[in-house]
Amino acid sequence: MARLVWGQDGQLEFADQEEYYYSLGLLCNSDWFNIVYEPNRKTNSWADAFRIQCARCPVELPQAFQDALRSQDRINNNEYVENLYTNHKFVYDGKKYIHGDYDDVRETVPDKYLADFDAGYDQ
């Protein structure tokens, strides 16, 4: 079972497994979401960060994403993005972006939640 609460303060909280895997499907669509790595330490900022940018999604965001949105329509949650990379075959392009290939990510989804994942991707 996927963990449902992410971040030090639990700022990203999925209601259930269905919402988790639906959201995972959405994130595989790079036309709607960008997941970026910002090396803030190079500019003497607090720490490096991963950000999910949600500005172009044409469907209503899952409640977990809506609740976690911060300025500039983005979600700041290193822990969750690292989970995408570690457990769901998202890849880093070596420069700035992290993305998930539909087929590769789908392999990480339990059979029971494939329909939820596909529903998110097929929006």
Side-chain angles (χ1 to χ4, degrees), residues 69-108:
L69 277 179
R70 298 297 177 254
S71 64
Q72 301 173 355
D73 290 325
R74 65 186 187 182
I75 297 169
N76 304 335
N77 197 307
N78 289 359
E79 187 179 40
Y80 177 68
V81 174
E82 288 171 4
N83 162 63
L84 299 176
Y85 187 83
T86 303
N87 297 313
H88 294 296
K89 298 186 178 181
F90 278 65
V91 295
Y92 175 51
D93 70 2
K95 297 177 185 174
K96 183 175 183 173
Y97 294 98
I98 296 165
H99 67 276
D101 174 76
Y102 169 80
D103 292 321
D104 291 340
V105 175
R106 196 172 191 273
E107 291 176 2
T108 71

Side-chain angles (χ1 to χ4, degrees), residues 18-106:
E18 290 82 1
E19 184 182 41
Y20 177 92
Y21 286 107
Y22 174 85
S23 301
L24 186 65
L26 283 175
L27 291 175
C28 287
N29 192 327
S30 60
D31 291 335
W32 299 344
F33 295 91
N34 287 319
I35 304 172
V36 298
Y37 169 67
E38 297 178 0
N40 294 330
R41 289 183 187 185
K42 290 182 180 178
T43 61
N44 294 323
S45 294
W46 180 253
D48 295 345
F50 295 105
R51 312 231 191 266
I52 300 171
Q53 299 170 334
C54 306
R56 294 186 308 264
C57 187
V59 298
E60 185 174 345
L61 293 175
Q63 192 63 49
F65 284 4
Q66 289 180 41
D67 293 344
L69 277 179
R70 298 297 177 254
S71 64
Q72 301 173 355
D73 290 325
R74 65 186 187 182
I75 297 169
N76 304 335
N77 197 307
N78 289 359
E79 187 179 40
Y80 177 68
V81 174
E82 288 171 4
N83 162 63
L84 299 176
Y85 187 83
T86 303
N87 297 313
H88 294 296
K89 298 186 178 181
F90 278 65
V91 295
Y92 175 51
D93 70 2
K95 297 177 185 174
K96 183 175 183 173
Y97 294 98
I98 296 165
H99 67 276
D101 174 76
Y102 169 80
D103 292 321
D104 291 340
V105 175
R106 196 172 191 273

